[in-house]
Amino acid sequence: MTADDRSAHALARLLAGMGTLHFLAPKPFDALVPRRLPGGPRAWTYASGAAELAVAAAVALPRTRRAGALAAAGLFAAVFPANIKMAHDWRHRSAPLKALAYGRLPAQLPLIGWALHTARAATPPSAK
């Protein structure tokens, strides 16, 4: 297994773990759903958890890795408003919690970069 394969599997595990948490402990994720979105927060929590699980499966499989990694980059970008909401909601909390909330904002960039690297490193479908 190459380093790129190990990296892709680590990305898939991260996505699968977070997707699973959306179903096992949805309440913290519900609080991150921007109020402007239609419907209830729990529906968005479950939908985003399902999306993470689907993207994780796509990244894990070499045949779908490129598309899955591009979807992961899009997903990481799409959840950025939730991180902004968390930072805003937690602005009056203790310093460690505030640091966690604000730290999530720039943390999206390396995740997007990781996903894009994984997409670039994936074997193109025409080469299989």
Side-chain angles (χ1 to χ4, degrees):
M1 183 180 292
T2 68
D4 286 332
D5 288 333
R6 285 191 296 276
S7 178
H9 286 132
L11 178 60
R13 284 191 303 275
L14 172 75
L15 287 158
M18 291 308 296
T20 300
L21 274 176
H22 280 69
F23 292 96
L24 295 178
K27 193 172 181 178
F29 296 101
D30 292 347
L32 301 178
V33 176
R35 290 181 192 90
R36 292 184 200 123
L37 292 176
R42 185 61 50 95
W44 286 100
T45 294
Y46 287 158
S48 61
E52 286 177 326
L53 291 171
V55 169
V59 170
L61 300 170
R63 185 175 214 77
T64 57
R65 182 164 295 153
R66 179 180 297 278
L70 290 172
L75 184 62
F76 291 141
V79 300
F80 191 70
N83 292 344
I84 292 172
K85 182 179 183 311
M86 181 181 183
H88 180 267
D89 291 349
W90 288 22
R91 68 191 182 281
H92 300 298
R93 296 216 178 168
S94 68
L97 290 177
K98 206 178 336 184
L100 174 70
Y102 287 114
R104 287 178 58 140
L105 297 172
Q108 291 303 114
L109 291 175
L111 289 173
I112 292 168
W114 185 10
L116 291 175
H117 171 78
T118 300
R120 281 191 302 272
T123 304
S126 60
K128 293 184 183 191

